[in-house]
Amino acid sequence: MKRRIILWSGGAFASLAALIGAGWLLSLPPAPAAAASPPIARDEAAATLAALKPPKRARPLVAIIGVNDATETTDYLMPYGILSRADVADVVALSTEPGPMTLYPALTVQPQATTAGFDARHPDGADYVIVPAMSRDDDPAVLAWIRKQAAGGAIIIGVCAGATVVGEAGLLDGRRATTHWYFLKGLRRVHPEVRYVPDRRLVVDRGVATTTGITASMPMMLTLIEAIAGREKAGAVARDLGVGAWDARHDSSAFRFSRPFALTVMGNTAAIWNRETLGLELAPGVDEVSLALVADAWSRTYRSKAETFSATAGPVRTRNGLRIVPDRVAATWDARRRLPAIGGRRPARALDDALLGIGARYGAPTASVVAMQLEYPRPTAAR
């Protein structure tokens, strides 16, 4: 059984370093430097939009699938939040089994339906199926359902390491694709017929789309909105998110395993006395995208974990109708370990603020480690 590790183990790094010695660390490259990426050619951008046009309905049906025991937080919630706020499609958040879904590395959500329930209600299938990274990439129920949806004409979108799940379903062989930088080598080893495309945050080939790391689901969803409802609508949603551009340009060389990354993870993991749990209040109507990005980022420092709290035990309804189950029932939280309220911050700003806060609390190298995990091309001023 394969296990998809979404948050890497600092303990594993420390053990490996102890076994191999300093030579292993010295053999790693320095931190990569980001470079400006050239714009996407007009013909390529047009072909991408054409390939993502709704295959069945004028108002498409989008299904986001996850497993109950660890589906990546932002991969699952960001597509739901962005597409729901755009109101250009009907969006359903699914799980393979009944009951709450534990997202990873943070948050617990109550899915809106199971895959079986979705099939009963929509026997003709979805227009788009979004596949996040999951705790395992070979779940039989997930693979069977994705294959069934693809056979029924749905466009399959593998977000981040969700591409490895799509690959296990047999849908990437012979196709152009990409994935999160950390999982690229494994994807190409297990599926050698995949035609990897560097320097693109999203790639579409014959009914299957894939993206680079976690934050790439934002430009992917904006591109999908543009394919469904046009450039003007996508621009309006982008402004609402706080995003200036959403094309596929990407500098793949800026994301790789490096010596500073390893040293920071090992150092933070070794500081076991400095671990802390940070409280994030769940307020009714909270934006799913901002909530996901903040909780995800603060849970990737190897020093902290974000936990949600609410004064009541019941699930809290989000801006677009999802229900988030609080980790703790509490009226308040120790102010020294309480994260700023999400409030009305635009998602892109919420993520930048989280990275600034991480840098202030744990140092700039830790903020860089988080951004690297998210495969987030930070604004120059934030580097």
Side-chain angles (χ1 to χ4, degrees), residues 146-212:
I146 292 172
R147 292 186 191 109
K148 176 183 175 181
Q149 292 295 320
I155 293 174
I156 309 299
I157 302 174
V159 173
C160 182
T164 64
V165 181
V166 178
E168 287 295 304
L171 299 179
L172 289 185
D173 288 349
R175 283 185 168 92
R176 295 177 295 111
T178 188
T179 190
H180 190 292
W181 65 268
Y182 189 83
F183 300 106
L184 176 61
K185 185 176 180 180
L187 176 68
R188 299 180 76 181
R189 182 184 68 252
V190 177
H191 303 286
E193 294 184 29
V194 172
R195 297 161 56 198
Y196 168 59
V197 180
D199 298 326
R200 293 293 183 269
R201 293 198 86 186
L202 58 100
V203 176
V204 187
D205 190 354
R206 290 170 289 159
V208 179
T210 49
T211 79
T212 57

Side-chain angles (χ1 to χ4, degrees), residues 33 35 68 75 91 118 123 137 145 163 168 171 184 203 222 227 230 232 269 272 289 315-316 318 324 339 361 363:
N68 294 68
D75 290 356
V91 189
F118 179 90
D137 52 19
W145 193 79
E168 287 295 304
L171 299 179
L184 176 61
V203 176
L222 288 169
E232 184 175 346
T269 302
I272 57 175
V289 182
V316 176
T318 66
I324 307 293
L339 294 174
R361 197 174 188 94

Side-chain angles (χ1 to χ4, degrees), residues 264 268 303 355-369 378:
T264 302
N268 286 3
R303 290 280 302 278
L355 290 169
L356 288 172
I358 290 166
R361 197 174 188 94
Y362 305 125
T366 296
S368 295
V369 161
R378 299 175 69 186

